[in-house]
Amino acid sequence: MKKIVIFASGSGSNAENIVLHFNKKGSANVVRIFTNNPNAKVLERAKYLDIPSEIFDRNELNEGKVLQKLNEIQPDLIVLAGFLLKFPESIIKAFPNKVVNIHPALLPNYGGKGMYGINVHRAVLENKEKETGITIHYVNEHYDEGEFIFQKSVNIEDCKSAEEIAERNGVLEQLHFPEVIEKLLTRNS
Ligand code: GAR
Protein backbone atom coordinates (compact mmCIF):
# COMPACT_ATOMS: atom_id res chain seq x y z
CA MET A 1 0.00 0.00 0.00
CA LYS A 2 1.35 3.41 -1.02
CA LYS A 3 1.85 5.95 1.75
CA ILE A 4 0.92 9.62 1.45
CA VAL A 5 1.69 12.28 4.01
CA ILE A 6 0.04 15.69 3.85
CA PHE A 7 1.31 19.06 5.08
CA ALA A 8 -1.38 21.71 5.63
CA SER A 9 -1.56 24.99 7.55
CA GLY A 10 -5.23 25.92 7.43
CA SER A 11 -8.67 24.59 6.70
CA GLY A 12 -7.59 21.31 5.14
CA SER A 13 -10.42 20.90 2.63
CA ASN A 14 -7.91 19.46 0.15
CA ALA A 15 -6.45 17.18 2.80
CA GLU A 16 -9.91 15.82 3.61
CA ASN A 17 -10.75 15.35 -0.06
CA ILE A 18 -7.54 13.39 -0.63
CA VAL A 19 -8.18 11.17 2.40
CA LEU A 20 -11.74 10.43 1.25
CA HIS A 21 -10.61 9.73 -2.31
CA PHE A 22 -8.07 7.12 -1.22
CA ASN A 23 -10.39 5.63 1.40
CA LYS A 24 -12.67 4.84 -1.52
CA LYS A 25 -9.93 3.72 -3.93
CA GLY A 26 -7.91 1.66 -1.49
CA SER A 27 -4.73 2.07 -3.56
CA ALA A 28 -3.00 4.35 -1.04
CA ASN A 29 -3.36 5.60 2.50
CA VAL A 30 -2.88 9.03 4.00
CA VAL A 31 -0.78 7.92 6.94
CA ARG A 32 -0.07 11.27 8.64
CA ILE A 33 -1.15 14.92 8.47
CA PHE A 34 1.51 17.42 9.50
CA THR A 35 0.74 21.01 10.43
CA ASN A 36 2.67 24.00 11.71
CA ASN A 37 -0.53 25.59 13.00
CA PRO A 38 -1.95 24.25 16.28
CA ASN A 39 -5.26 26.04 15.55
CA ALA A 40 -5.67 24.76 12.02
CA LYS A 41 -9.03 23.27 11.13
CA VAL A 42 -7.15 20.47 9.39
CA LEU A 43 -6.46 19.02 12.86
CA GLU A 44 -10.20 18.63 13.51
CA ARG A 45 -10.60 17.02 10.14
CA ALA A 46 -7.70 14.62 10.85
CA LYS A 47 -9.40 13.63 14.08
CA TYR A 48 -12.75 12.71 12.58
CA LEU A 49 -11.09 11.11 9.55
CA ASP A 50 -9.02 9.05 11.99
CA ILE A 51 -5.66 10.09 10.53
CA PRO A 52 -2.77 10.62 12.97
CA SER A 53 -1.60 14.21 13.00
CA GLU A 54 1.60 15.93 13.97
CA ILE A 55 2.11 19.56 15.04
CA PHE A 56 5.56 21.06 14.64
CA ASP A 57 7.13 24.50 14.72
CA ARG A 58 9.40 26.24 12.25
CA ASN A 59 12.56 25.11 14.08
CA GLU A 60 11.49 21.49 14.09
CA LEU A 61 10.81 21.78 10.37
CA ASN A 62 14.15 23.34 9.56
CA GLU A 63 16.38 21.55 12.01
CA GLY A 64 15.69 17.94 11.17
CA LYS A 65 12.96 16.76 13.52
CA VAL A 66 10.31 16.62 10.78
CA LEU A 67 12.79 14.98 8.39
CA GLN A 68 13.47 12.34 11.01
CA LYS A 69 9.75 11.57 11.27
CA LEU A 70 9.47 11.37 7.48
CA ASN A 71 12.44 9.02 7.36
CA GLU A 72 10.64 6.76 9.80
CA ILE A 73 7.43 6.84 7.71
CA GLN A 74 9.14 6.53 4.28
CA PRO A 75 6.21 8.06 2.36
CA ASP A 76 5.75 7.47 -1.37
CA LEU A 77 4.48 11.03 -1.76
CA ILE A 78 4.58 14.19 0.35
CA VAL A 79 1.66 16.45 -0.52
CA LEU A 80 1.60 20.14 0.38
CA ALA A 81 -2.07 21.13 0.49
CA GLY A 82 -2.29 24.72 1.67
CA PHE A 83 1.03 24.54 3.50
CA LEU A 84 2.32 28.05 4.04
CA LEU A 85 5.91 27.71 5.31
CA LYS A 86 8.87 27.36 2.99
CA PHE A 87 9.62 23.67 2.63
CA PRO A 88 13.21 22.85 3.65
CA GLU A 89 15.75 21.81 1.06
CA SER A 90 16.91 18.94 3.29
CA ILE A 91 13.51 17.23 2.95
CA ILE A 92 13.25 17.94 -0.78
CA LYS A 93 16.71 16.36 -1.26
CA ALA A 94 15.85 13.34 0.91
CA PHE A 95 12.67 12.69 -1.13
CA PRO A 96 13.51 13.65 -4.74
CA ASN A 97 10.43 14.01 -7.00
CA LYS A 98 8.23 13.05 -4.10
CA VAL A 99 7.17 16.47 -2.82
CA VAL A 100 4.26 18.12 -4.65
CA ASN A 101 2.29 21.30 -4.04
CA ILE A 102 -0.99 22.75 -5.24
CA HIS A 103 -1.11 26.45 -6.02
CA PRO A 104 -4.42 28.26 -6.60
CA ALA A 105 -3.37 30.12 -9.78
CA LEU A 106 -1.89 29.55 -13.20
CA LEU A 107 1.81 29.70 -12.37
CA PRO A 108 4.19 31.32 -13.19
CA ASN A 109 1.64 34.10 -12.64
CA TYR A 110 0.53 34.93 -9.11
CA GLY A 111 3.19 32.86 -7.37
CA GLY A 112 5.99 33.59 -4.93
CA LYS A 113 6.25 34.74 -1.35
CA GLY A 114 2.99 36.11 0.11
CA MET A 115 0.93 34.65 -2.72
CA TYR A 116 -1.29 32.17 -0.96
CA GLY A 117 -4.97 31.52 -0.46
CA ILE A 118 -7.27 34.52 -0.79
CA ASN A 119 -4.33 36.90 -1.52
CA VAL A 120 -3.89 35.17 -4.86
CA HIS A 121 -7.56 35.54 -5.76
CA ARG A 122 -7.58 39.22 -4.71
CA ALA A 123 -4.64 39.93 -7.03
CA VAL A 124 -6.33 38.04 -9.88
CA LEU A 125 -9.53 40.08 -9.36
CA GLU A 126 -7.65 43.37 -9.17
CA ASN A 127 -5.98 42.65 -12.49
CA LYS A 128 -9.36 41.85 -14.08
CA GLU A 129 -8.13 38.47 -15.33
CA LYS A 130 -10.59 36.56 -17.50
CA GLU A 131 -9.36 33.23 -16.23
CA THR A 132 -7.50 31.68 -13.37
CA GLY A 133 -6.85 28.08 -12.39
CA ILE A 134 -4.71 25.64 -10.47
CA THR A 135 -1.15 24.41 -10.80
CA ILE A 136 0.15 21.20 -9.29
CA HIS A 137 3.93 21.12 -9.31
CA TYR A 138 6.99 19.51 -7.82
CA VAL A 139 8.51 21.49 -4.96
CA ASN A 140 11.99 22.87 -5.25
CA GLU A 141 13.94 25.34 -3.12
CA HIS A 142 12.11 28.39 -4.56
CA TYR A 143 8.49 29.25 -3.82
CA ASP A 144 6.17 28.01 -6.59
CA GLU A 145 8.95 27.36 -9.12
CA GLY A 146 9.24 23.57 -9.34
CA GLU A 147 8.41 21.64 -12.51
CA PHE A 148 4.72 21.72 -13.44
CA ILE A 149 2.79 18.46 -13.32
CA PHE A 150 -0.73 19.68 -14.09
CA GLN A 151 -2.62 22.89 -14.82
CA LYS A 152 -6.30 23.57 -15.38
CA SER A 153 -7.95 26.90 -16.04
CA VAL A 154 -11.43 28.25 -15.35
CA ASN A 155 -13.29 31.27 -16.68
CA ILE A 156 -13.95 33.93 -14.03
CA GLU A 157 -15.20 36.84 -16.17
CA ASP A 158 -18.47 36.95 -14.22
CA CYS A 159 -16.86 36.72 -10.74
CA LYS A 160 -17.31 39.84 -8.62
CA SER A 161 -15.29 38.97 -5.53
CA ALA A 162 -12.12 37.13 -4.54
CA GLU A 163 -14.30 34.73 -2.55
CA GLU A 164 -16.28 33.85 -5.65
CA ILE A 165 -13.04 33.18 -7.53
CA ALA A 166 -11.79 31.06 -4.63
CA GLU A 167 -14.95 28.99 -4.73
CA ARG A 168 -14.75 28.37 -8.46
CA ASN A 169 -11.06 27.50 -8.22
CA GLY A 170 -11.74 25.26 -5.24
CA VAL A 171 -13.95 23.09 -7.41
CA LEU A 172 -10.97 22.47 -9.70
CA GLU A 173 -8.79 21.55 -6.73
CA GLN A 174 -11.33 19.08 -5.37
CA LEU A 175 -11.83 17.55 -8.79
CA HIS A 176 -8.24 17.18 -9.93
CA PHE A 177 -5.79 17.04 -7.01
CA PRO A 178 -6.61 13.47 -5.84
CA GLU A 179 -6.55 12.19 -9.44
CA VAL A 180 -3.16 13.73 -10.13
CA ILE A 181 -1.80 12.26 -6.89
CA GLU A 182 -3.13 8.86 -7.88
CA LYS A 183 -1.40 9.09 -11.28
CA LEU A 184 1.89 10.12 -9.67
CA LEU A 185 1.74 7.16 -7.30
CA THR A 186 1.16 4.75 -10.17
CA ARG A 187 4.01 6.30 -12.16
CA ASN A 188 6.35 5.95 -9.18
CA SER A 189 5.56 2.27 -8.70
C1 GAR B 1 -5.83 25.93 -1.42
O1 GAR B 1 -6.61 26.73 -2.26
C2 GAR B 1 -4.41 25.82 -1.97
O2 GAR B 1 -4.36 25.86 -3.36
C3 GAR B 1 -3.78 27.06 -1.39
O3 GAR B 1 -4.29 27.14 -0.08
C4 GAR B 1 -5.61 26.62 -0.07
C5 GAR B 1 -5.74 25.68 1.08
O4 GAR B 1 -7.06 25.29 1.28
N1 GAR B 1 -2.34 26.97 -1.41
C6 GAR B 1 -1.56 28.04 -1.55
O5 GAR B 1 -1.99 29.16 -1.66
C7 GAR B 1 -0.07 27.72 -1.57
N2 GAR B 1 0.68 28.82 -2.09
P1 GAR B 1 -7.41 24.06 2.19
O6 GAR B 1 -6.62 24.22 3.50
O7 GAR B 1 -8.89 24.16 2.44
O8 GAR B 1 -7.02 22.80 1.47
Side-chain angles (χ1 to χ4, degrees):
M1 182 76 81
K2 299 278 178 167
K3 287 185 275 185
I4 300 167
V5 304
I6 297 178
F7 282 72
S9 302
S11 164
S13 63
N14 278 286
E16 174 162 0
N17 187 41
I18 294 163
V19 170
L20 294 178
H21 176 90
F22 286 100
N23 280 354
K24 225 186 285 163
K25 289 280 170 164
S27 53
N29 267 336
V30 175
V31 295
R32 198 85 53 100
I33 294 178
F34 286 84
T35 186
N36 60 305
N37 176 4
N39 302 314
K41 189 172 172 197
V42 73
L43 286 169
E44 278 169 44
R45 296 190 201 254
K47 207 167 176 189
Y48 69 66
L49 291 164
D50 209 15
I51 308 291
S53 58
E54 202 90 53
I55 305 170
F56 58 86
D57 62 26
R58 201 185 285 263
N59 287 342
E60 289 168 332
L61 178 66
N62 292 322
E63 288 164 12
K65 191 149 177 230
V66 173
L67 175 58
Q68 193 189 324
K69 295 230 156 119
L70 290 170
N71 277 331
E72 284 161 20
I73 298 170
Q74 282 300 311
D76 296 284
L77 204 64
I78 298 171
V79 175
L80 310 191
F83 183 63
L84 301 183
L85 295 182
K86 195 160 189 307
F87 212 61
E89 232 176 299
S90 53
I91 302 182
I92 299 166
K93 286 212 169 104
F95 294 92
N97 286 326
K98 285 188 176 170
V99 187
V100 299
N101 178 47
I102 189 160
H103 187 76
L106 295 170
L107 291 173
N109 297 328
Y110 302 101
K113 204 168 187 321
M115 275 294 169
Y116 58 84
I118 199 74
N119 294 348
V120 175
H121 306 303
R122 283 194 187 118
V124 164
L125 183 74
E126 228 158 76
N127 288 340
K128 300 186 172 53
E129 299 285 1
K130 289 192 169 63
E131 61 171 28
T132 187
I134 59 170
T135 305
I136 299 168
H137 63 94
Y138 288 108
V139 174
N140 69 11
E141 62 277 23
H142 304 290
Y143 270 114
D144 302 326
E145 285 184 16
E147 187 195 334
F148 295 173
I149 300 164
F150 178 89
Q151 283 192 307
K152 189 86 181 175
S153 60
V154 63
N155 188 289
I156 48 159
E157 276 173 284
D158 60 329
C159 285
K160 302 210 166 19
S161 67
E163 288 71 21
E164 227 181 303
I165 297 175
E167 209 177 303
R168 200 162 290 181
N169 225 37
V171 174
L172 291 184
E173 298 195 340
Q174 298 279 312
L175 203 63
H176 297 289
F177 203 15
E179 273 177 16
V180 170
I181 291 170
E182 196 178 329
K183 277 197 190 129
L184 286 173
L185 286 170
T186 328
R187 204 168 65 187
N188 289 344
S189 61

